[in-house]
Amino acid sequence: QVQLVESGGGLVQAGGSLRLSCATSRSIFSLNAMGWYRQAPGKQRELVATMNSVGAKNYADSVTGRFTLSRDNAKNTVYLQMNSLKPEDTAVYYCYARSVTGWEWSDYWGQGTQVTVSS
């Protein structure tokens, strides 16, 4: 089992910045992937950014160049730095982790943190 604890959401004006944090109860090196998804009202949950165990990153087109995913191995924490925020970035952001053992995998989610960008 993996617990994910998020922090850092809030209200910001368009053009502003926020940094989300996600602390995991297990070593980052024991996880095959970590990252962030988001869900806006009335929409499906969508990928924002993910990172695999060797640090390769994948970003949604809508956030490329504005958001940066990073990690602190010593703190078992991943961060999402969000710059140049737009009203359309408003959503609940969920931390995500995947653990793979053999042919089986398990996905874990944080409780979600609200990000609201005002115009």
Side-chain angles (χ1 to χ4, degrees):
Q1 193 72 7
V2 178
Q3 279 76 48
L4 303 172
V5 179
E6 302 142 337
S7 61
L11 173 64
V12 65
Q13 289 188 331
S17 298
L18 283 174
R19 189 178 79 157
L20 305 183
S21 300
C22 175
T24 172
S25 60
R26 278 173 46 180
S27 167
I28 283 182
F29 296 112
S30 73
L31 299 169
N32 296 82
M34 286 195 71
W36 296 88
Y37 282 69
R38 67 186 181 188
Q39 187 166 19
K43 294 188 177 181
Q44 289 187 331
R45 191 172 296 189
E46 64 177 5
L47 180 147
V48 177
T50 59
M51 178 190 302
N52 66 15
S53 58
V54 297
K57 303 173 188 177
N58 179 43
Y59 294 94
D61 290 343
S62 60
V63 307
T64 297
R66 300 187 299 123
F67 292 10
T68 302
L69 184 64
S70 63
R71 69 186 185 192
D72 185 328
N73 299 330
K75 295 182 178 179
N76 293 320
T77 299
V78 294
Y79 303 97
L80 184 68
Q81 178 66 44
M82 305 184 294
N83 298 329
S84 302
L85 282 160
K86 304 175 181 179
E88 51 263 44
D89 294 317
T90 295
V92 177
Y93 284 69
Y94 295 92
C95 183
Y96 158 82
R98 170 166 287 186
S99 175
V100 177
T101 303
W103 295 102
E104 297 183 352
W105 67 90
S106 299
D107 290 339
Y108 303 92
W109 297 93
Q111 78 281 3
T113 184
Q114 178 70 47
V115 171
T116 302
V117 184
S118 63
S119 56

